[in-house]
Amino acid sequence: MSELAATPVTALKGVGAALQEKLARVGLETLQDVLFHLPLRYQDRTRIVPIGALRPGQDAVVEGMVASAEVLMGRRRSLLVRLQDGSGTLSLRFFHFSQAQKDGMARGTLLRCYGEVRPGASGLEIYHPEYRAQDENAPAPVEQTLTPIYPTTEGLTQLRLRQLSAQTLERLGPESLPDWLPPEMAEHYRLGPLADALRYLHRPPPDADLEELAEGRHWAQERLVFEELLTHQLSLQRLRETLRAQRAVPLPAARRLPQLYLDNLGFKPTGAQQRVGREIAHDLAQPEPMLRLVQGDVGAGKTVVAALAALQAIEAGYQVALMAPTEILAEQHFLNFQRWFAALDIEVAWLAGKLKGKARASSLERIAAGAPMVVGTHALFQDEVRFARLALVVIDEQHRFGVQQRLALRQKGVDGRLAPHQLIMTATPIPRTLAMSAYADLDTSVLDELPPGRTPVNTVSVTDSRREEVVERVRAACHEGRQAYWVCTLIEESEELTCQAAETTYEELQLALAELHVGLIHGRMKPAEKAAVMAEFKAGNLQLLVATTVIEVGVDVPNASLMIIENPERLGLAQLHQLRGRVGRGSAVSHCVLLFHPPLSQIGRERLAIMRETNDGFIIAEKDLELRGPGEMLGTRQTGLLQFKVADLMRDAHWLPAVRDAAQELLARWPSHAAPLLERWLRHGQQYGQV
Ligand code: ADP
Ligand code: MG
């Protein structure tokens, strides 16, 4: 370990137990941590700006003579100080001030102050500037470097953080913090020395390009980004090796059950389903755990593929667990599998958080006794769930699960020794660059063909002032024998309010469309009630279905060709795409009306525009990523896996190919450099590489 990594912050002047505890809250335990705790932004306090040259919005150091200081009694009592420097006049405004403060700014005092300049009632003003009276004959020197502003926590001031980084920078040198990038590699990728980069970022010179720094394009940032991404890549390779060393139950190709299943299915698998099915069947027969991601757009038929994989494990006498991120999605799967597998005489068990008491105990018992097919939510991750012979785990909509949750399931395999095979299904195609970085441990299959008879959905957005027209449109469609959905979106994250809103909408639409049969479905209804309503809609006895986003998944009524989504601006792109996937399943041209409430935010406008422009889940996912950022999308925000210190996967994606090469080269030629790099960057995420 390098010297700075081994030295605790208490080695710095002025750091006692209390401060140590505060520093730990922002992750600063050693001097190396202090060095890698980089400023968020900078202030320029290196020069005094003449008042006449100030611009609104600018942060600036100003120096001038107090011309007047008076207490104003308006709506809010305030102290107004007028400052003059010969080039103009500036007002300083204080809403909180003491008598002593007022006395310290008497007429004729020379003041130096710092703050954000804004336009005010009396010309340019600074609210609550930092200020200090100056001795005219011995003015204090200005700062020699830009002033760093660090991420911090309550009770930890910028001044304190600055003192600590200053002290640590004094100790920084090639001995105390070795540069693990071999000079040859640094030269090849045109990267500067580590110590120079750190010095620069903590104390940039007055002429530094602030714009470049803000955008993360500065060479000093690039140097650290490269090292961090390189280290991330090293950890993924290590993870992969660990996984490769694990054993799994080889499951021989099955014949009887898949044949029976397909005979009963009522349709023929698409070419893509057959191909992906073969890829999975091959993986399952190996003695290493399968780790396969199946990407397929909404409606591509991923469930059939999952069922075929499950039957391979079941025919070999093992257990399968299928997990979905929401109770409703899990329930849909449960009902599907129950229906499909009843004909094959295969027991399907159910487990979700809401299952309590006797029913829960009985489920746990059946799972422990070896129920071949288990469907549920993340409740399946819990410690109390014991499988008898688990050999395959299927996870639907992976991006909503954390990587670590997925890894936790590995420990539930046969005997706790053999890892289960894993099949992960997602409708959110993960852009290649990201998939490579976040999922280096996964093989990927793509379901790139929709079942026959699907038609693209025609999407429009309409403001809610035209609601009546939209209602008429629903009437017309239903009179033509079609069916429609009216979707009410989530209200402030409260399921209860959302369901109430759906009920109100249901009543209104029943009145407005008195001659139609209108149904209602929402998350607070009992499963049996929901199933009954869905059955009625599917049978065509209901023409319009008012729903919350519970119909986001699994619902399949080909005759429904119109969907109204109220307040689509409340939903993310992936969810809108999933919802819209409920129509366009039959031969009629389908329509989706996004009934939005103006004014829309910038992101809201962009989302609706994308929905109008494309039906392609891949493009939608890429845009979603752009608008939301990768952490959220991959469900890894909580796990810390993708929480880089300096890198930003979107911004720095152009480095990824180079970084992959560099990781290989480093392992081949300088293998001893890998461990210290991992130690430096991944101290808190180390368990990730060791699963
Ligand atoms: P997703 O990939 O979105 O999970 P599903 O597995 O729910 O899609 O399938 C969507 C619908 O398409 C289901 O009703 C399913 O029965 C149907 N389906 C799946 N595969 C085919 C196929 N090969 N031919 C016709 N319909 C299919
Ligand atoms: Mg699905």
Side-chain angles (χ1 to χ4, degrees):
M1 203 186 279
S2 69
E3 185 192 317
L4 292 184
T7 312
V9 284
T10 44
L12 296 175
K13 275 190 296 248
V15 183
L19 184 54
Q20 182 183 23
E21 194 261 322
K22 270 182 208 152
L23 291 169
R25 265 188 260 149
V26 276
L28 305 184
E29 289 167 11
T30 69
L31 298 192
Q32 177 174 282
D33 295 336
V34 174
L35 280 181
F36 284 85
H37 191 67
L38 296 172
L40 292 168
R41 57 191 174 83
Y42 303 92
Q43 295 174 340
D44 185 356
R45 299 174 185 241
T46 62
R47 63 209 165 92
I48 295 168
V49 182
I51 291 174
L54 290 174
R55 301 265 165 280
Q58 182 180 6
D59 289 308
V61 182
V62 179
E63 192 169 273
M65 203 67 85
V66 174
S68 68
E70 49 178 332
V71 176
L72 303 180
M73 297 310 288
R75 208 152 39 90
R76 238 176 120 189
R77 189 168 163 269
S78 64
L79 171 65
L80 187 74
V81 177
R82 308 279 289 169
L83 207 62
Q84 291 176 337
D85 71 351
S87 72
T89 307
L90 175 73
S91 303
L92 311 179
R93 206 182 276 274
F94 299 84
F95 292 103
H96 311 278
F97 58 94
S98 63
Q99 185 60 37
Q101 262 182 306
K102 178 171 184 285
D103 296 344
M105 288 185 277
R107 189 184 151 84
T109 313
L110 182 65
L111 279 190
R112 186 178 296 173
C113 55
Y114 180 85
E116 184 189 337
V117 179
R118 48 161 101 194
S122 55
L124 292 180
E125 303 189 349
I126 299 182
Y127 283 15
H128 285 276
E130 294 170 36
Y131 69 90
R132 181 168 285 177
Q134 299 288 320
D135 178 347
E136 233 171 305
N137 303 315
V142 291
E143 297 289 337
Q144 297 302 300
T145 68
L146 297 182
T147 305
I149 305 294
Y150 295 101
T152 188
T153 182
E154 204 180 318
L156 189 57
T157 64
Q158 291 296 336
L159 191 63
R160 177 70 81 179
L161 285 167
R162 251 172 256 156
Q163 287 164 353
L164 299 185
S165 61
Q167 284 186 55
T168 311
L169 286 169
E170 278 171 24
R171 299 180 177 223
L172 173 60
E175 299 303 311
S176 63
L177 190 79
D179 193 335
W180 295 111
L181 276 197
E184 194 180 316
M185 189 177 273
E187 196 176 328
H188 181 255
Y189 293 107
R190 297 171 187 277
L191 299 164
L194 176 67
D196 291 1
L198 287 170
R199 260 184 239 289
Y200 194 103
L201 292 175
H202 283 284
R203 297 291 184 277
D207 63 353
D209 186 338
L210 281 175
E211 204 173 313
E212 205 174 65
L213 284 166
E215 289 171 9
R217 296 185 284 112
H218 194 273
W219 69 262
Q221 290 161 314
E222 299 268 24
R223 168 64 181 76
L224 296 178
V225 164
F226 185 91
E227 182 171 319
E228 184 170 34
L229 290 176
L230 173 70
T231 307
H232 180 67
Q233 196 62 34
L234 291 170
S235 84
L236 286 173
Q237 293 193 3
R238 192 165 79 167
L239 173 66
R240 201 159 197 168
E241 278 160 27
T242 321
L243 295 178
R244 284 240 169 94
Q246 284 184 324
R247 304 282 87 192
V249 190
L251 304 167
R255 298 238 169 276
R256 194 179 64 86
L257 291 176
Q259 197 52 55
L260 260 177
Y261 170 70
L262 291 174
D263 289 348
N264 288 336
L265 197 55
F267 51 75
K268 209 171 129 355
T270 62
Q273 282 169 321
Q274 292 177 24
R275 173 174 47 76
V276 172
R278 278 196 301 274
E279 288 167 357
I280 295 168
H282 173 266
D283 286 1
L284 290 178
Q286 311 307 313
E288 299 94 54
M290 168 177 81
L291 279 169
R292 188 167 284 279
L293 179 73
V294 172
Q295 298 185 355
D297 206 350
V298 180
K302 296 182 285 294
T303 324
V304 170
V305 169
L308 287 168
L311 291 172
Q312 186 164 345
I314 293 170
E315 190 161 303
Y318 289 93
Q319 254 180 322
V320 180
L322 185 157
M323 194 158 22
T326 67
E327 187 132 354
I328 285 160
L329 180 48
E331 195 176 294
Q332 285 285 343
H333 280 310
F334 175 62
L335 295 174
N336 259 329
F337 276 80
Q338 235 186 1
R339 188 162 49 83
W340 284 336
F341 284 9
L344 311 182
D345 211 13
I346 296 170
E347 177 188 2
V348 184
W350 164 253
L351 190 74
K354 278 193 196 145
L355 198 67
K356 294 274 185 317
K358 266 202 202 130
R360 182 179 189 84
S362 139
S363 260
L364 289 174
E365 218 167 274
R366 287 165 65 197
I367 296 168
M373 183 77 209
V374 183
V375 179
T377 57
H378 54 273
L380 294 175
F381 290 121
Q382 290 160 357
D383 284 343
E384 57 166 341
V385 184
R386 302 246 176 267
F387 292 88
R389 297 184 298 276
L390 184 64
L392 169 65
V393 173
V394 182
I395 304 182
D396 199 10
E397 298 303 335
Q398 144 78 12
H399 65 285
R400 297 201 216 171
F401 285 110
V403 169
Q404 278 166 1
Q405 280 178 306
R406 180 159 68 73
L407 296 176
L409 263 172
R410 295 233 165 89
Q411 277 125 36
K412 292 199 184 277
V414 179
D415 297 341
R417 216 167 26 83
L418 294 172
H421 297 282
Q422 286 199 30
L423 178 64
I424 290 145
M425 306 191 292
T426 178
T428 311
I430 296 154
R432 243 186 83 73
T433 46
L434 267 187
M436 298 291 284
S437 302
Y439 294 122
D441 58 331
L442 294 181
D443 297 307
T444 307
S445 297
V446 183
L447 276 179
D448 49 6
E449 181 185 350
L450 291 182
R454 302 280 163 80
T455 44
V457 181
N458 185 3
T459 302
V460 295
S461 51
V462 171
T463 90
D464 56 8
S465 60
R466 289 169 58 197
R467 193 183 166 94
E468 276 174 35
E469 282 171 50
V470 173
V471 171
E472 286 316 309
R473 191 162 172 177
V474 170
R475 191 196 309 276
C478 292
H479 281 202
E480 281 171 24
R482 316 238 62 97
Q483 289 168 282
Y485 297 100
W486 190 292
V487 183
C488 305
T489 46
L490 195 68
I491 297 175
E492 287 160 7
E493 311 286 331
S494 154
E495 196 190 348
E496 174 140 13
L497 283 179
T498 307
C499 297
Q500 281 172 15
E503 273 164 19
T504 312
T505 306
Y506 166 66
E507 280 155 23
E508 284 168 10
L509 289 172
Q510 258 187 327
L511 279 179
L513 300 165
E515 77 279 23
L516 299 181
H517 298 287
V518 185
L520 170 67
I521 187 166
H522 63 62
R524 298 236 139 181
M525 289 161 56
K526 296 216 170 67
E529 292 172 334
K530 280 188 275 185
V533 173
M534 277 322 300
E536 288 285 286
F537 189 60
K538 207 159 181 165
N541 298 335
L542 293 172
Q543 292 156 296
L544 173 63
L545 184 61
V546 178
T548 54
T549 50
V550 302
I551 60 148
E552 180 185 335
V553 288
V555 174
D556 189 36
V557 180
N559 190 47
S561 61
L562 174 61
M563 173 174 283
I564 317 298
I565 304 179
E566 267 198 270
N567 301 106
E569 68 276 7
R570 291 180 186 150
L571 300 178
L573 272 176
Q575 218 182 355
L576 285 169
H577 181 62
Q578 286 268 2
L579 270 175
R580 186 174 59 179
R582 302 304 109 205
V583 291
R585 300 181 154 243
S587 47
V589 177
S590 292
H591 299 273
C592 177
V593 179
L594 304 170
L595 192 58
F596 69 92
H597 184 71
L600 287 175
S601 67
Q602 176 66 23
I603 285 192
R605 260 199 309 279
E606 286 180 40
R607 282 195 183 131
L608 299 197
I610 292 158
M611 290 300 292
R612 285 196 306 270
E613 282 159 22
T614 182
N615 277 283
D616 183 330
F618 189 80
I619 296 176
I620 290 177
E622 294 233 298
K623 295 290 182 190
D624 202 24
L625 178 70
E626 260 171 47
L627 295 177
R628 289 196 305 168
E632 195 175 335
M633 174 158 167
L634 298 172
T636 50
R637 183 146 285 171
Q638 327 78 297
T639 69
L641 167 61
L642 284 178
Q643 275 180 1
F644 293 102
K645 288 197 179 87
V646 273
D648 172 330
L649 273 186
M650 283 307 279
R651 183 190 71 198
D652 304 320
H654 62 278
W655 273 119
L656 291 174
V659 159
R660 272 194 296 277
D661 293 347
Q664 303 256 319
E665 194 182 354
L666 192 96
L667 287 175
R669 298 181 54 195
W670 300 280
S672 64
H673 291 209
L677 280 171
L678 288 164
E679 180 270 328
R680 175 176 293 166
W681 289 95
L682 294 182
R683 194 162 41 86
H684 296 289
Q686 232 169 11
Q687 67 276 22
Y688 170 65
Q690 290 171 351
V691 177

